[in-house]
Amino acid sequence: MDQRIAEQTIGRLSLYRRLLDTLMRDCVEHVYSHQLAEKTGFTSAQVRRDLMAVDTAGNTRRGYDVGELIRAIDDYLYAPSGQQVAVVGIGNLGRALLTFFSGRRPKLSVVAGFDVDEQVVDRVIHGCRVYHMDEVDRVVAEDEITLVMLTVPSDAAQPAADACIAAGVSGILNFAPARLKVPPSVYVSHVDLTMYLEMVAFFARQKDGDQGD
Amino acid sequence: MDQRIAEQTIGRLSLYRRLLDTLMRDCVEHVYSHQLAEKTGFTSAQVRRDLMAVDTAGNTRRGYDVGELIRAIDDYLYAPSGQQVAVVGIGNLGRALLTFFSGRRPKLSVVAGFDVDEQVVDRVIHGCRVYHMDEVDRVVAEDEITLVMLTVPSDAAQPAADACIAAGVSGILNFAPARLKVPPSVYVSHVDLTMYLEMVAFFARQKDGDQGD
DNA sequence: ATTCAGTTGTGACGCTATTCACAGGATAAG
DNA sequence: CTTATCCTGTGAATAGCGTCACAACTGAAT
Ligand SMILES: NC(=O)c1ccc[n+]([C@@H]2O[C@H](COP(=O)([O-])OP(=O)(O)OC[C@H]3O[C@@H](n4cnc5c(N)ncnc54)[C@H](O)[C@@H]3O)[C@@H](O)[C@H]2O)c1
Ligand SMILES: NC(=O)c1ccc[n+]([C@@H]2O[C@H](COP(=O)([O-])OP(=O)(O)OC[C@H]3O[C@@H](n4cnc5c(N)ncnc54)[C@H](O)[C@@H]3O)[C@@H](O)[C@H]2O)c1
């Protein structure tokens, strides 16, 4: 948390981190930057540059110690005590996210859902209780929730975000096709699946036309 | 489809395009770059630069004609006859995507699902038939499917992608946490939701520490 | 002890995307 | 017709990222 860090480096560190889990499981003790590169699709220089951000030291002959690297990335990437996450809007997408992320990672776990529909409120999905939005203040405080994944209809996105922020949330992963206005102390990232699909459509078409590459 | 285009410009054009729909619905006839910028969160210079890619001409006094701009972006972004999409892996996430995207846009519509689980095969979800993966060759050809959203478990991602590519698909939006090896004529985009969540966690925490900004 | 092969860490470089800034142009008002 | 205003389109400047390339290092082999 010391100097300026490229946004995309954080994303890549997250990918390396998951890869290291599988290496650890396979009892691999050391790994070279070019091996991480190969498995993630980046270049080895990119990997080394990214790892400069974390407190680690590769051995010039054996590469990086897997356990040591895991510790270094964890230290850099995650809060020591972890961060709690809620899913707001338990519709089709919200339910999928809730199911997938609940109790997945110790450092980043989804612990609650919120909705306004009486049909889903108070249900328990994959171990997570769904609360009514009216309870957001209480539950966010009690469960120390700092992040939400926002999967409500786009009209409801801004008010729902406002309610979460008022309750103390400082990070939002927004899936609704709406730009959120938030105070500068809150970080918002926008995942626009329609946009991704249209990008794939365009570039796939372009490749078809170009006859590959 | 003429000269080199920045990948991200395509993404932004997709956002402008959707915004223009709402302007059209509100009977707005003209729009300035700074208005599009305001509503999308980019700068007006960025908007104008992006629109240089499409065949349009803004009026220096009234800005861009909404209808004209929609036509220009559509011409640039979409195949004249549209592109058909399938969802492969009708689990929690696949079902959400299938429901959301089926019959949404005329130029880009989800028309089929694929799975291997007898529980879901042959069911019809939101108007889309779910086929067995064994039928991928036939259905992709018959329905002229060129794109897939891949939402299978990560072990199954590569073989499922291979089957789709063999059937003629040229674009893949992959949600599984696995890097796909594909021939150069196929375009793959990787949406890693775990990574996005971890990025939000990091930067939200950083903001908290920095007291805003 | 020395050599050799193969790696890390990083300064310098280059590329691409974004922003700046302004010439040129359209319109409305006088 | 002329002026004032406020826009677009775009070359030029800047910033942000990724890549190159190599000095420094490590451990193994001899
Ligand atoms: N499902 C997808 O694949 C998909 C794809 C792209 C974008 N999105 C976006 O994600 C969002 C959710 O999509 P979905 O398909 O799950 O929709 P959905 O209609 O299935 O679910 C929305 C849920 O939000 C709840 N809700 C409504 N207002 C609320 C409020 N004020 N506070 C809390 N909860 C509220 C509803 O009760 C419902 O359960 C939408 O904005 C959609 O545009 C979804
Ligand atoms: N659900 C989420 O929110 C979420 C979030 C991040 C990533 N993902 C990724 O998306 C993928 C799907 O997630 P999910 O939660 O929907 O899982 P899921 O288990 O609910 O669904 C997977 C579906 O794929 C089908 N399938 C298995 N093998 C197949 C094959 N060879 N061909 C076709 N279909 C096959 C299964 O029958 C099942 O219906 C996973 O790779 C997961 O890691 C999901």
Side-chain angles (χ1 to χ4, degrees):
Chain A
M1 214 74 77
D2 30 353
Q3 71 238 47
R4 194 154 231 86
I5 180 79
E7 206 155 297
Q8 287 149 308
T9 293
I10 299 302
R12 286 190 298 267
L13 285 174
S14 161
L15 297 183
Y16 305 145
R17 178 61 185 81
R18 252 183 297 164
L19 187 53
L20 288 169
D21 268 347
T22 74
L23 293 179
M24 183 59 108
R25 196 164 33 246
D26 297 346
C27 297
V28 177
E29 295 198 355
H30 297 276
V31 66
Y32 297 125
S33 60
H34 66 80
Q35 294 176 309
L36 291 173
E38 149 87 342
K39 286 174 194 287
T40 52
F42 309 121
T43 66
S44 65
Q46 176 81 81
V47 172
R48 291 198 301 277
R49 176 72 66 193
D50 288 336
L51 295 183
M52 282 176 67
V54 309
D55 168 33
T56 187
N59 179 299
T60 59
R61 188 66 193 167
R62 284 199 289 250
Y64 300 90
D65 180 284
V66 172
E68 155 75 6
L69 193 50
I70 287 178
R71 182 210 54 74
I73 296 181
D74 279 0
D75 276 3
Y76 186 77
L77 227 46
Y78 307 121
S81 54
Q83 277 164 288
Q84 274 65 250
V85 187
V87 177
V88 176
I90 310 300
N92 290 305
L93 184 56
R95 223 171 352 245
L97 294 173
L98 195 56
T99 304
F100 185 78
F101 283 104
S102 66
R104 177 153 275 259
R105 272 288 184 75
K107 295 289 190 176
L108 206 59
S109 68
V110 170
V111 298
F114 292 96
D115 208 304
V116 290
D117 184 350
E118 297 298 342
Q119 295 277 312
V120 283
V121 167
D122 288 335
R123 275 177 50 189
V124 175
I125 296 175
H126 212 259
C128 282
R129 171 90 178 274
V130 178
Y131 299 91
H132 193 278
M133 273 303 273
D134 293 346
E135 298 193 84
V136 71
D137 276 321
R138 182 179 65 75
V139 178
V140 163
E142 280 178 9
D143 290 351
E144 296 182 332
I145 291 165
T146 55
L147 309 173
V148 300
M149 303 176 99
L150 193 59
T151 52
V152 299
S154 60
D155 308 333
Q158 185 65 57
D162 292 344
C164 294
I165 291 166
V169 161
S170 62
I172 298 177
L173 188 57
N174 176 32
F175 290 82
R179 197 169 67 96
L180 299 177
K181 274 212 175 347
V182 300
S185 61
V186 176
Y187 183 86
V188 178
S189 177
H190 192 189
V191 175
D192 195 313
L193 299 178
T194 303
M195 190 191 84
Y196 292 134
L197 183 61
E198 298 208 330
M199 288 176 70
V200 170
F202 180 87
F203 289 108
R205 206 151 64 82
Q206 189 170 260
K207 286 219 169 187
D208 261 9
D210 292 3
Q211 301 301 0
D213 187 89
Chain B
M1 217 73 79
D2 30 353
Q3 72 239 47
R4 194 153 230 86
I5 181 79
E7 207 156 294
Q8 288 148 306
T9 293
I10 300 302
R12 286 190 297 267
L13 284 174
S14 162
L15 298 183
Y16 305 145
R17 178 60 184 82
R18 252 182 297 163
L19 187 53
L20 288 168
D21 269 346
T22 74
L23 293 178
M24 183 61 108
R25 196 164 33 245
D26 297 346
C27 299
V28 177
E29 295 198 355
H30 297 276
V31 65
Y32 297 124
S33 61
H34 65 80
Q35 296 175 306
L36 291 173
E38 149 88 342
K39 286 173 195 287
T40 52
F42 309 121
T43 65
S44 64
Q46 178 82 82
V47 172
R48 292 198 301 277
R49 179 73 65 192
D50 288 336
L51 294 182
M52 282 175 66
V54 308
D55 169 34
T56 185
N59 179 300
T60 59
R61 188 67 193 171
R62 283 198 289 248
Y64 300 90
D65 181 284
V66 171
E68 156 75 7
L69 193 49
I70 286 178
R71 181 208 55 73
I73 295 181
D74 280 359
D75 277 3
Y76 186 77
L77 228 45
Y78 307 120
S81 54
Q83 279 163 288
Q84 274 65 252
V85 186
V87 176
V88 176
I90 310 301
N92 291 304
L93 184 57
R95 227 176 344 251
L97 294 172
L98 195 56
T99 305
F100 185 79
F101 284 104
S102 66
R104 177 153 275 258
R105 271 286 184 75
K107 295 289 188 174
L108 206 58
S109 67
V110 170
V111 298
F114 291 97
D115 207 302
V116 290
D117 184 351
E118 297 298 341
Q119 295 278 311
V120 284
V121 167
D122 288 336
R123 276 178 49 190
V124 176
I125 296 174
H126 212 260
C128 283
R129 172 89 178 274
V130 178
Y131 299 91
H132 193 279
M133 273 304 273
D134 293 346
E135 298 193 84
V136 70
D137 275 323
R138 182 179 65 74
V139 177
V140 163
E142 280 179 9
D143 289 353
E144 297 182 332
I145 291 166
T146 56
L147 309 173
V148 300
M149 303 175 100
L150 192 59
T151 52
V152 299
S154 59
D155 307 332
Q158 185 66 58
D162 292 344
C164 293
I165 291 166
V169 161
S170 61
I172 298 177
L173 188 57
N174 176 32
F175 289 82
R179 197 169 66 97
L180 299 177
K181 274 212 173 346
V182 301
S185 62
V186 176
Y187 182 87
V188 177
S189 176
H190 192 189
V191 175
D192 194 313
L193 299 178
T194 303
M195 189 191 84
Y196 293 135
L197 182 60
E198 297 209 330
M199 289 176 71
V200 170
F202 180 87
F203 288 108
R205 208 151 63 82
Q206 189 169 258
K207 287 217 169 189
D208 261 9
D210 293 2
Q211 302 299 0
D213 183 90

